[in-house]
Amino acid sequence: MALRRSRALASAAVGCLVASIVVIGAAQARASEVAVLPGGPTSISDPAPVQLDTALFLPDQTPAPAVLLAHGFGGSKESLTNQAEQLADRGFVVLTYSARGFGTSTGDISVNSPDFEIADAIALIDYLGTRDDVEQDAAGDPRVGIAGGSYGGALALLAGGYDARVDAIAADITWNDLETSLFGQSAIRDPEPRGAFKKLWTGWFFSVGLVDPAQGVTECGRFSPDWCRAYIDATAYGELTPASSALMRASSPATVTSNITAPTLLAAGEADSLFPIAQANATAEQIRAAHPQTPVKMVWHGGGHDGGINESERVQGLMADWFQTYLVDPAGGSASTTTTAFEATLAGGAISTEDSSSDPVVLQSATYPGIRGSSQLDVALAGPPQRILAPSGGTPAAITVLPGLGGSLGSLLSVPLPGQAAAFESQALDEPLTIVGASTVTLSIASTEPVEDVTLFASLRIVSASGRESFPQGLVAPIRLDRLDTSPVSLSIELPAIVAAAAAGDRLRLVLSTTDSAYLLPNRPALYDIALAGATPGTATLSVPLADMQPVQSGVAAYWWLLGTLPIIGLIIGLLAWKRPRSARDGERADLIGVPLAIEGLGKVYKGGYRAVDEVSFTVPQGVVLGLLGPNGAGKTTTMRMMMGLIRPTEGELFVYGQRVDAGSPVLSRVGALVEGAGFLPHLSGRENLDLYWRAAGRGDEESYLDEVLAIADLGTAIDRKVRSYSQGMRQRLGIAQAMLGKPDLLVLDEPTNGLDPPQIRAMRDVLHEYVEGGRTVIISSHMLSEVEQTCTDVVVMHRGRLVATGTVADLLRGRTGQRLEDVFLEIVGTDLTVGQS
């Protein structure tokens, strides 16, 4: 096998490496070493190793596990510096490098060929196996993880499939099968027909490598001859020769997923028409099918090649947590790493159950259901048969994606052109829903005369009650048929995987169009007849994927710097009220002066008429730990946000210590809160963030009890490290410490145990019990019923926006011998709390 030959050459080069390595000097930023290291062979005919430009980042203590970082297409080792520094801060030895053909590394680009780029990665792992500052599992076997995005993500997966020494993998926005990525096909048929060629993305992708720094612009640039020929064949004719197909197949992780046994974190961009979610889903399914016991976590984030929301810092944090768990010590990583198998970002809209904010929301699930969801909702579509035109030359064409500018911008321009699109709609939805995955539908398609080479594009839109159409990330499902006759053909179509919310009263619209500027289109004109292929003429069933997920975090920033600053700015604005005099004002209730929280007739109605909270009234006595419980859509998060004055109730009132709660109410100075995640400045340390928060409140002269809250956070020396290096669990503990600064009279914590491991959860239980002993009060929301039973003295149970039970835990359990709180909850609500949390 060619790979064995490449590895033998690379290993021979490493044999003399220790004696011949040249350290060029101090790297930019904080790299400990910058060196040129030998990689795999230059080419099949030239066995001399390529020269790879590398940088090594060392942690404070060694030996330590290592992480090999691979960059995206067009990048270099310099583009990895920030991530490398963060991982070094977390205690890893980090090796970055410029892939062959990029930066100052030699060699031609072979798009992650096993013989070349993968051989390079293996040579670098060999090198890490020679270093005393890298922890070794055996001689020449370093404890190592490998991570990358896009081009680097595929390399990470391929290296993990070819080299069993890789102990953990993290891959973002990359491909499973390069051919199906560049030649997309969404028609579910057997055999699967050839796909539609993504000419715009492929042209942009390859143009990056066409400029050779030494020779300028050439026909092939830095690409190897084989890949240059494949590119010309594809762009000129939209076809794949057998040789080109074999090249793409060899560079596809799909060929080695059956070999991957290392714990694997997969991330996919919801704004990605180049390597869509379906590619990462295929990788996950293949690994799980081959090795069911291998830990696999899936993250669908709001970013991607089309732009979207920049969640790179969160994704890099998840990668660091993954490596902390599987390279260092399972007890040292974030608990959510092992208990959460799936995360998705609901971007640019409300979670369907109760949150009308435009802020993104992160959803989590203990299991990954796959692209078809854990369940499906059948939605009836209706509409008459429609005839559409495929114009001559494929122009004018609809615009859905603009590489470098983003699919969101493209979606603004993607109004279906006259005569080129058929549309079918549902009735108004009776209830809100959150779509998580790929919907499917069956259509009937025919041509007015026999034609060859048919290309169509399907997409799902959401239409509001006012008629405004939203087009999630501008994503389309390409469909290509070799031939179409006048006899109708029934096609089952898988639409793009999306994460989107539809409110009650919204309609779902299926659009089938003939043009898209991102794809190579047929030159000849044609007319197609499109119809729904349901049991009743003019109808069809749209199968919509749903997932049982819990919202755990909102406010993901659209720009990296806003990720830390916006939450702080919001806190500062709210906290300025702490300096205002606590004078009486309209709405003061003398009879409630000693009551931490009183809610009377509270209701909240969102756009579209969705009622999230309905006539809720309860009182929280002093000195208790109260648990706010309820399944998905119960109204808990909305109620907690109204408690803090973050949103206004539609009806009813809330009183904290007798003062009515509004935005910026002075009485909120007596409340500490952690609701929907804390916001921290990532470039500051934990201690500096707490100090900034306290001083921003104008309370520098008052007692912050900083030492006590730091003891509660139990971060040790990490309190003086930059927050960007923190795991999710560490950020959560810092957020709880922030809420406790000044020991407020009322403490409100939304899912405080998220990211905490069992010992930390037990410690937090003791902290809360001690906290209320002096007369203070704590309100927590949680989906962990067993923990609520051990922590809380009182509970409030909500269901579908209404209050269904309230009282002490002892009262609810009285008379129910042998039953636990979970049994009582199921009896009261009639559903399993683990279905979701709002």
Side-chain angles (χ1 to χ4, degrees):
M1 183 177 178
L3 179 65
R4 294 196 184 100
R5 179 175 65 253
S6 301
R7 181 165 181 189
L9 291 168
S11 296
V14 171
C16 60
L17 180 64
V18 177
S20 64
I21 182 172
V22 177
V23 178
I24 296 176
Q28 295 178 359
R30 52 160 286 178
S32 302
E33 297 176 10
V34 173
V36 175
L37 301 177
T42 297
S43 66
I44 294 296
S45 60
D46 183 1
V50 296
Q51 302 300 299
L52 301 175
D53 182 23
T54 72
L56 189 75
F57 298 75
L58 293 176
D60 293 337
Q61 296 182 355
T62 59
V67 175
L68 181 64
L69 287 183
H71 60 76
F73 200 83
S76 68
K77 69 175 188 180
E78 278 72 27
S79 57
L80 299 168
T81 298
N82 287 339
Q83 186 179 7
E85 290 180 342
Q86 293 174 27
L87 286 166
D89 285 341
R90 292 285 292 269
F92 298 100
V93 175
V94 184
L95 182 62
T96 66
Y97 71 105
S98 297
R100 64 170 61 205
F102 294 100
T104 61
S105 294
T106 62
D108 292 334
I109 300 170
S110 291
V111 194
N112 287 336
S113 164
D115 290 330
F116 303 117
E117 282 85 357
I118 307 309
D120 295 341
I122 291 172
L124 294 177
I125 294 173
D126 289 342
Y127 166 67
L128 291 171
T130 68
R131 294 192 64 102
D132 293 337
D133 46 20
V134 175
E135 185 176 339
Q136 305 291 326
D137 291 331
D141 183 2
R143 177 72 60 86
V144 63
I146 184 167
S150 190
Y151 188 65
L155 183 141
L157 291 165
L158 283 159
Y162 277 109
D163 195 330
R165 294 175 299 173
V166 174
D167 299 294
I169 302 169
D172 185 25
I173 56 171
T174 195
W175 67 86
N176 169 263
D177 185 306
L178 191 54
E179 180 177 334
T180 60
S181 291
L182 300 182
F183 289 78
Q185 177 60 270
S186 300
I188 307 170
R189 304 185 74 185
D190 189 19
E192 183 178 287
R194 58 185 176 168
F197 177 53
K198 298 178 183 177
K199 67 169 186 178
L200 201 61
W201 262 124
T202 307
W204 179 89
F205 190 67
F206 274 81
S207 68
V208 173
L210 291 179
V211 178
D212 189 317
Q215 304 180 41
V217 180
T218 63
E219 183 180 31
C220 291
R222 291 170 286 170
F223 286 101
S224 68
D226 288 344
W227 278 97
C228 183
R229 283 192 296 271
Y231 170 62
I232 293 172
D233 288 342
T235 53
Y237 310 109
E239 300 293 345
L240 276 174
T241 65
S244 298
S245 181
L247 275 181
M248 292 190 179
R249 183 65 180 169
S251 294
S252 296
T255 60
V256 296
T257 45
S258 61
N259 299 335
I260 293 177
T261 57
T264 302
L265 170 66
L266 298 169
E270 296 165 17
D272 204 320
S273 59
L274 177 58
F275 304 131
I277 287 173
Q279 290 290 316
N281 179 74
T283 300
E285 291 185 344
Q286 290 163 11
I287 295 174
R288 294 197 302 181
H291 305 284
Q293 301 306 313
T294 294
V296 176
K297 177 169 180 171
M298 177 67 79
V299 177
W300 297 357
H301 57 80
H305 286 90
D306 295 348
I309 299 170
N310 188 343
E311 292 193 73
S312 58
E313 183 163 322
R314 184 173 77 91
V315 173
Q316 290 176 11
L318 290 171
M319 289 181 174
D321 287 349
W322 193 255
F323 291 139
Q324 183 78 31
T325 296
Y326 292 106
L327 296 181
V328 181
D329 183 348
S334 168
S336 65
T337 302
T338 54
T339 60
T340 303
F342 182 34
E343 295 188 13
T345 297
L346 181 57
I351 184 167
S352 63
T353 52
E354 58 176 70
D355 188 351
S356 69
S357 168
S358 62
D359 290 339
V361 177
V362 176
L363 310 175
Q364 286 186 348
S365 173
T367 59
Y368 177 57
I371 207 168
R372 297 292 178 83
S374 55
S375 61
Q376 293 77 39
L377 175 67
D378 288 342
V379 177
L381 296 178
Q386 298 165 54
R387 178 165 292 178
I388 57 177
L389 169 68
S392 177
T395 57
I399 300 173
T400 57
V401 61
L402 298 172
L405 296 178
S408 297
L409 178 57
S411 68
L412 295 176
L413 307 175
S414 61
V415 177
L417 298 175
Q420 293 187 12
F424 307 94
E425 287 190 6
S426 71
Q427 294 293 319
L429 299 173
D430 294 329
E431 296 182 356
L433 64 87
T434 301
I435 305 169
V436 184
S439 300
T440 56
V441 68
T442 302
L443 296 176
S444 173
I445 302 174
S447 177
T448 57
E449 60 182 32
V451 293
E452 295 183 351
D453 192 9
V454 175
T455 304
L456 297 165
F457 305 93
S459 59
L460 185 64
R461 321 287 178 99
I462 300 173
V463 184
S464 71
S466 64
R468 181 180 178 182
E469 180 184 86
S470 65
F471 185 5
Q473 302 299 350
L475 295 175
V476 300
I479 303 159
R480 190 179 181 190
L481 305 176
D482 294 332
R483 181 179 175 84
L484 190 61
D485 296 319
T486 56
S487 300
V489 173
S490 181
L491 284 182
S492 294
I493 298 169
E494 182 177 273
L495 295 166
I498 60 174
V499 182
D506 287 354
R507 289 166 290 139
L508 301 184
R509 176 180 292 165
L510 174 69
V511 175
L512 198 72
S513 59
T514 58
T515 64
D516 191 299
S517 62
Y519 291 81
L520 185 67
L521 302 173
N523 284 318
R524 51 97 194 100
L527 290 170
Y528 306 129
D529 291 323
I530 313 297
L532 296 172
T536 303
T539 67
T541 298
L542 179 72
S543 181
V544 178
L546 308 176
D548 299 332
M549 305 188 74
Q550 303 168 17
V552 296
Q553 178 184 348
S554 67
V556 180
Y559 302 95
W560 70 267
W561 56 273
L562 289 176
L563 185 64
T565 58
L566 277 184
I568 293 292
I569 291 170
L571 286 169
I572 291 173
I573 292 172
L575 290 169
L576 289 176
W578 288 19
K579 295 184 68 177
R580 291 158 51 183
R582 301 181 187 179
S583 58
R585 55 186 242 169
D586 292 342
E588 181 175 302
R589 287 272 298 273
D591 59 319
L592 298 174
I593 292 297
V595 177
L597 177 68
I599 294 178
E600 298 179 350
L602 194 66
K604 179 65 178 179
V605 180
Y606 285 126
K607 296 175 184 178
Y610 176 70
R611 180 171 286 276
V613 177
D614 188 10
E615 286 292 324
V616 169
S617 299
F618 64 87
T619 298
V620 180
Q622 188 171 344
V624 303
V625 180
L626 181 135
L628 186 59
L629 305 178
N632 192 33
K636 303 181 308 300
T637 299
T638 294
T639 300
M640 295 188 85
R641 295 180 72 187
M642 287 189 285
M643 282 182 206
M644 301 306 302
L646 299 175
I647 56 174
R648 289 186 175 182
T650 306
E651 61 256 350
E653 294 179 308
L654 302 94
F655 296 89
V656 171
Y657 294 104
Q659 298 287 331
R660 188 169 58 195
V661 173
D662 294 305
S665 294
V667 74
L668 293 177
S669 65
R670 301 180 67 180
V671 181
L674 177 66
V675 178
E676 297 180 321
F680 298 113
L681 293 171
H683 64 283
L684 297 182
S685 69
R687 188 188 302 274
E688 289 168 337
N689 268 280
L690 294 181
D691 180 64
L692 174 62
Y693 174 90
W694 187 252
R695 287 188 291 109
R699 304 180 68 183
D701 294 332
E702 297 182 39
E703 181 58 60
S704 66
Y705 299 98
L706 180 62
D707 291 340
E708 292 186 37
V709 299
L710 290 181
I712 291 169
D714 192 27
L715 290 171
T717 58
I719 192 65
D720 293 310
R721 293 204 328 244
K722 293 179 180 179
V723 168
R724 70 183 184 187
S725 69
Y726 282 17
S727 66
Q728 180 182 342
M730 294 167 71
R731 288 174 185 256
Q732 184 75 356
R733 282 143 57 197
L734 187 63
I736 294 170
Q738 179 177 277
M740 288 185 169
L741 279 173
K743 288 193 173 181
D745 296 322
L746 176 60
L747 189 63
V748 180
L749 304 175
D750 188 13
E751 295 286 347
T753 58
N754 273 344
L756 303 186
D757 57 32
Q760 292 166 349
I761 292 174
R762 289 192 295 271
M764 183 55 57
R765 182 193 312 149
D766 295 337
V767 166
L768 296 180
H769 287 161
E770 182 179 344
Y771 194 82
V772 300
E773 286 180 358
R776 298 182 180 87
T777 302
V778 176
I779 299 174
I780 65 172
S781 72
S782 179
H783 67 281
M784 298 177 64
L785 285 169
S786 60
E787 185 57 34
V788 168
E789 186 173 349
Q790 297 179 69
T791 303
C792 296
T793 56
D794 296 60
V795 291
V796 167
V797 182
M798 296 180 66
H799 185 45
R800 296 179 179 175
R802 289 181 171 271
L803 181 71
V804 294
T806 182
T808 67
V809 173
D811 286 341
L812 289 178
L813 294 176
R814 186 171 291 117
R816 294 179 168 95
T817 304
Q819 284 192 312
R820 302 182 62 190
L821 185 58
E822 183 171 359
D823 303 317
V824 178
F825 181 88
L826 294 175
E827 179 183 321
I828 295 172
V829 175
T831 187
D832 187 345
L833 186 61
T834 59
V835 168
Q837 176 79 13
S838 65

